Amino acid sequence: MFPAAVIAARKPALIGVLAIVAASTCLYGVVRLHGTPQSEPVKIAVLSAQGADNAGWPNAAGPQIIDRYRPMITDAAQAGAKIVLLPEKIVDVRTTDLPQLSHQFQTLATSNKIELVVGLTVLGDGDHNRALMFHPDGAAPTSYDKHHLIPGIEPYTPGDQLATYDTWGLMICKDLDFPALARQYGELDTSLLLVPALDFVDDGWLHSRMALLRGIENGIPIARDGSQGRLTLTDANGRIVAETIAPANGPAVLIGELRPGIDHTLYTAWGDWFAWLCGLVALAGMLLLRSRGGRENIRHGQLRGLPVADLPAGDVAGDEAGDHDRPGPAGVAGGREAHAGGDGVHRAERGRRIDRPGEPGGVRPLAAGTADAPRQHRT
C-alpha cells in the first residue's frame, strides 16, 4: 500500500523514502542474481507413475506400483541421473513390513549408484507421512516425517525434526507452504531441497509456484515431485530450470540439472522483520489518525460517509472554535462537521463564509426560486 499512499499524500519526504526502498529492492535483486554460488551441476530425475496414493504393500496394489517405478528408476540412472526423486505416499506400508520394502529400495539405490528419495505412508506405532533417502553406499536411509499435515485428509503424527544428508535436505509437499520451516533449512546452509509431493491435479501450477518461493527466500535450489500436478526443478533464484505436467492417469519423467549451492539471503538471516515493520507502520498510522479525531479526514473527502450537502455555518453548526473563515468542502460548514443537533438546513454557501451587513450569520441567501435556495431557517 506504500506506493499508493505516497501518490495520495504527494509529500516529497515520502516520495524520497519510496524511491530509496524501490532502488534498494532492485539493487538487492541484481546482487542476488549475479552472486549465486556456482557449483558442479547434479543431474536429477523426477519420476511419477500412475497409481493411487493409498495402495498397500505387500498386499493390494503396492507391489504393482513398485514394479512400475523399477524400470523408470533404472532408465533414469542410465541417463546419468545421480538423484532420483519419487512422489509422496506412493504406497502404504506397516512398520513391521517396512524393513522388507526398504531393502528393495536400497537395492535399487546401490545397483544404480543413485540417491533415491521415496515418499511412503508408514502405519503403526503412530502413522507418518514419511520421506526416505536411500544412499548408494548402503548407509542407513535418511528419514523425514512431514510437519504440516492436511486437516481432515492426513490423520498422521506430524514430524518435528529436520532431515539432511551432507548439505541436502528433505521436505514433503505442504511443508513448502510454510516459510519458517524452509528458513530453518536455510539456517543450516542447505544447498538443495528434495521434495516428494502429491498435488490435486488442478492446483499443480499454483502449488509448485508457492513452493519455489521458499527457494527464493533462502537461496536454495528445489527439486519437487508433484505427482498429479507439476514436476519441477527450480534454481536458488526461483527460475524454472525444467518442468513437466504429471497426469493422474499416466507416467511422467523429468530429467534436468541443478547446481547445489549455499546462497545466504537477508530473509534467512533476519526472517519476517520487513513484514512486521510494515504492519507496525500501518498500525501507527491508524492510531495517529484516530488521535486527531478525524477532523482532517472530514475536510479532505467526506471519509465518514456524510452526504455531500451544505450544513449550517457558524453558530448554527455549533462552531465554538471561532474559525469561521476556515475553508471546507461541500457538506462541511467552514470546514467543520455539523453537530447532530443541527437543523439540516441546506445552505448554498460553500467554502469560505463571507460576512455581509444585514445578513444574519454572515450567510448570503440565494434569490427566491433558485434551485439551491434555502428553506426557512428555524431559530
Side-chain angles (χ1 to χ4, degrees), residues 237-256:
N237 293 306
R239 291 174 289 202
I240 304 293
V241 175
E243 179 179 34
T244 192
I245 296 175
N249 57 354
V253 176
L254 177 68
I255 299 179

Side-chain angles (χ1 to χ4, degrees), residues 71-372:
M72 296 174 67
I73 294 171
T74 301
D75 291 344
Q78 291 176 350
K82 299 301 181 184
I83 300 174
V84 175
L85 176 62
L86 304 190
E88 174 188 14
K89 298 189 293 189
I90 61 171
V91 295
D92 295 354
V93 58
R94 302 197 65 82
T95 53
T96 52
D97 297 318
L98 182 58
Q100 183 182 5
L101 179 59
S102 295
H103 177 73
Q104 294 198 28
F105 288 125
Q106 183 61 67
T107 300
L108 286 169
T110 303
S111 61
N112 290 290
K113 298 180 180 179
I114 57 171
E115 302 286 347
L116 178 61
V117 180
V118 180
L120 303 171
T121 302
V122 181
L123 307 175
D125 192 23
D127 300 344
H128 298 277
N129 184 338
R130 181 169 296 173
L132 294 172
M133 179 189 292
F134 297 90
H135 311 296
D137 59 3
T142 303
S143 178
Y144 172 84
D145 289 337
K146 186 176 182 179
H147 287 212
H148 297 283
L149 303 167
I150 303 175
I153 296 179
E154 296 182 312
Y156 311 133
T157 302
D160 58 3
Q161 300 292 324
L162 304 183
T164 60
Y165 174 75
D166 194 8
T167 61
W168 301 347
L170 296 176
M171 296 180 76
I172 298 176
C173 199
K174 191 174 176 63
D175 287 337
L176 284 174
D177 294 355
F178 296 85
L181 183 57
R183 181 172 171 242
Q184 293 180 49
Y185 277 103
E187 293 173 334
L188 293 176
D189 291 338
T190 302
S191 65
L192 176 65
L193 281 174
L194 303 171
V195 185
L198 179 62
D199 293 326
F200 295 103
V201 184
D202 292 336
D203 71 335
W205 182 89
L206 174 63
H207 208 189
S208 67
R209 269 50 184 181
M210 292 171 64
L212 67 82
L213 286 174
R214 306 292 85 84
I216 296 173
E217 292 164 350
N218 301 284
I220 305 175
I222 299 176
R224 180 179 181 275
D225 192 338
S227 182
Q228 302 186 37
R230 297 293 180 103
L231 314 181
T232 55
L233 297 175
T234 57
D235 69 8
N237 293 306
R239 291 174 289 202
I240 304 293
V241 175
E243 179 179 34
T244 192
I245 296 175
N249 57 354
V253 176
L254 177 68
I255 299 179
E257 292 183 344
L258 288 179
R259 293 180 179 272
I262 301 171
D263 184 15
H264 300 101
T265 68
L266 291 180
Y267 179 77
T268 301
W270 297 344
D272 295 315
W273 68 272
F274 187 73
W276 285 110
L277 176 62
C278 290
L280 290 174
V281 170
L283 178 61
M286 289 188 289
L287 292 176
L288 180 61
L289 289 176
R290 184 177 180 84
S291 69
R292 292 181 177 178
R295 285 186 54 179
E296 294 298 326
N297 291 343
I298 296 301
R299 283 200 293 272
H300 292 286
Q302 292 292 326
L303 297 183
R304 288 187 181 177
L306 296 176
V308 182
D310 295 331
L311 300 177
D315 296 335
V316 176
D319 192 342
E320 299 175 356
D323 55 349
H324 304 308
D325 291 334
R326 185 188 305 275
V332 180
R336 300 179 65 84
E337 179 186 0
H339 289 286
D343 59 9
V345 175
H346 287 207
R347 300 283 184 181
E349 185 70 11
R350 289 182 170 85
R352 181 179 299 277
R353 171 181 172 178
I354 302 175
D355 291 328
R356 296 177 182 273
E359 295 178 359
V363 177
R364 176 170 50 86
L366 294 178
T370 303
D372 290 333

Side-chain angles (χ1 to χ4, degrees), residues 46-64:
V46 186
L47 310 179
S48 176
Q50 180 183 0
D53 65 339
N54 58 355
W57 196 94
N59 302 315
Q64 288 82 3

Side-chain angles (χ1 to χ4, degrees), residues 49-52 61 63-73:
Q50 180 183 0
Q64 288 82 3
I65 292 176
I66 302 301
D67 288 340
R68 292 194 191 108
Y69 277 108
R70 199 183 306 276
M72 296 174 67
I73 294 171

